[in-house]
Amino acid sequence: MALQAAIALFATFFVLLGVGVPISVSIGIASLAAGLIAVPADIVLFTAAQNLIGGMNSFALLAILFFILAGSIMNNGGIAIRLINLAKLIAGRLPGSLAHTNVVGNMLFGSISGSAVAAAAAIGSVMSPLQAQEGYKRSYSAAVNIASSPTGFLIPPSSALIIFSLVSGGTSISALFIAGYLPGILMGLSIMIVAYIIAKKEQYPVADPIPFREKVKVILDAIPSLLMIVVVIGGIVGGIFTATEGAAIAVIYAALLALAYRSLSWRDIPKILTETVSMTGIVLFLVGASSIMSWAMTITGIPAEISNAMLSISENKIIVLFMMMVILLIIGTFMDITPAVLIFTPIFMPIATQMGVDPVHFGIILIFNLAIGIMTPPVGSALFIGSSVGKVSIEEVIPTLVKFFIALIIALLLVVYIPQISLFLPQLLNLL
C-alpha cells in the first residue's frame, strides 16, 4: 500500500506542478489521491478538512505573520542604506570592496527582513549601480548579490526555522535561532572568498579609507537597526518572551524606528499591510495543505518505506546524510523553501534522528540545503530578482554563479559533517 500511495502522491503532485497548478493546491490534491488508497473517500475528505484548518490553527504561526510585517516595515523604512554603509565599513578594504559590501549588506538586511528576495532587491538595487560605475562586470555583481541573499534564512530571526520547529514536533526555536549564526556566517564567508579571488583576477578596486569621524557616524546610524536583532533574539533566547511575542515586539520596534527616521508615511501603510497579508496567506495555506500531506503519508506508511529504502542502500551515517543532501539540493531547484520544509521534514527527520543526528543540527542542514535552491534555476526566486535588479540576463549570470554555487556546496558539506558548527553556540548557552 505504501508504494502505491507514494506513487499516487508524488506523481499527482509533480504532474499538477508541471501544468501550472499552484503548489498549495497541488499538495492538497496529491494528498487526497494518496489518502484514498488507504481509507474511504468520505473519511479522507472529512479528515483532510480537519487537518487543513488544524494545521493553520497554531499560535506559533503568528510569529511568521509578525516577522513578515516587521520585515515589510523595514523594507519600506529606509533601513537598507544604513546597513549598506555599515557593510562598507566592515568590508571596504578588500579587493572588490563593493562586492564584499553587498555580501555583508545581505547578511545584515536578510537577517532583519527574513527574506532572500527582499534582501536581493533592497541591497542589490543600491549596490548594482555603484558597482557598474566602478567597472565591475554586471554578471559578477549580480552573482554576488544572488548568492548572498539567502543568508537570512539561516541568520535569525528566520521564518524558515520557525516553520521547521513547528513541523518537526517542537524543536526549540531558541536553539535553532542560535544554531543558525555560525552556518549563516560561513555561508557569507564562502561567497566572499570566491568574490575576493575573482576581484583579484579582474583587478577590481579597493574602496578609499573612511575618515574616523564618518566611521563613528556610520556605526551610530546603524546601531538602532541592529539593536532590533539584539532585543528580539536576546529576549527569545533569554526566555523573557516567546518567539511569537518577540515577533510582535519586532513590529513595534521597526515601526518606531521608521517613524524616527521619518522614512515612512501614512500612504505606505496600505502597501505594507497588503504585502503582509498576501505573504502570510500564502504561507498559512501551504502549512494547512502540508498538514493534509503529513496525515496522508502517516496513514499510508510512506516515511517508513522511504526510510527502509534509504537504509537498505546503506546504514552508514555519512552516506545517508549525503543522499539526503543531494535529494534536497535537487528539490530546492524547483520548489520554494517553505513547502519543501513542510513536505520533507517529516520524511527525512525520522531517518536523521535514527542515525543519531541532533534535531537542531538537522534543521540547519535542511534549511542550508534548500536556501541554495533559491539561487538556482528553474524557479530560484532570488535568481530572477537579482538578475532583474542587476540588469543582466539569467544566461549571462549563471557561469559566474556556478563558482559561488561550488563554494556554497563546500560550506554545506562542512555544516553537514561537522555538527559543532551548528551546535557549539546552543550548547554554550545551555539551549540543548
Side-chain angles (χ1 to χ4, degrees), residues 359-376:
V360 172
H361 181 212
F362 175 72
I364 300 300
I365 292 172
L366 182 78
I367 301 302
F368 200 137
N369 268 274
L370 297 173
I372 294 175
I374 300 295
M375 55 172 271
T376 56

Side-chain angles (χ1 to χ4, degrees), residues 145-190:
N145 186 41
I146 293 164
S148 58
S149 62
T151 52
F153 285 127
L154 287 170
I155 302 175
S158 164
S159 59
L161 290 174
I162 294 172
I163 290 173
F164 172 80
S165 171
L166 180 71
V167 78
S168 66
T171 305
S172 168
I173 293 178
S174 299
L176 286 167
F177 275 5
I178 296 301
Y181 275 111
L182 293 182
I185 292 170
L186 178 62
M187 190 179 192
L189 288 175
S190 67

Side-chain angles (χ1 to χ4, degrees), residues 319-365:
I319 295 173
V320 171
L321 286 175
F322 185 79
M323 285 192 290
M324 286 186 193
M325 190 182 76
V326 171
I327 292 169
L328 290 170
L329 285 171
I330 294 170
I331 293 298
T333 63
F334 61 84
M335 188 179 292
D336 195 46
I337 192 165
T338 299
V341 170
L342 291 165
I343 293 169
F344 290 94
T345 297
I347 293 176
F348 286 149
M349 187 166 172
I351 305 172
T353 52
Q354 185 179 339
M355 304 297 294
V357 178
D358 188 280
V360 172
H361 181 212
F362 175 72
I364 300 300
I365 292 172

Side-chain angles (χ1 to χ4, degrees), residues 42-122:
D42 56 340
I43 296 176
V44 169
L45 293 173
F46 179 76
T47 311
Q50 282 186 321
N51 279 277
L52 178 66
I53 302 302
M56 295 185 286
N57 186 23
S58 170
F59 182 73
L61 288 175
L62 281 173
I64 295 174
L65 183 153
F66 286 130
F67 276 128
I68 289 173
L69 178 55
S72 185
I73 291 171
M74 299 194 89
N75 290 349
N76 293 276
I79 307 300
I81 191 64
R82 290 168 174 83
L83 295 178
I84 287 172
N85 289 335
L86 179 63
K88 284 181 183 177
L89 187 62
I90 295 170
R93 300 302 295 161
L94 295 170
S97 304
L98 293 178
H100 298 294
T101 299
N102 196 330
V103 177
V104 177
N106 272 335
M107 292 171 72
L108 294 172
F109 189 80
S111 66
I112 291 174
S113 69
S115 168
V117 171

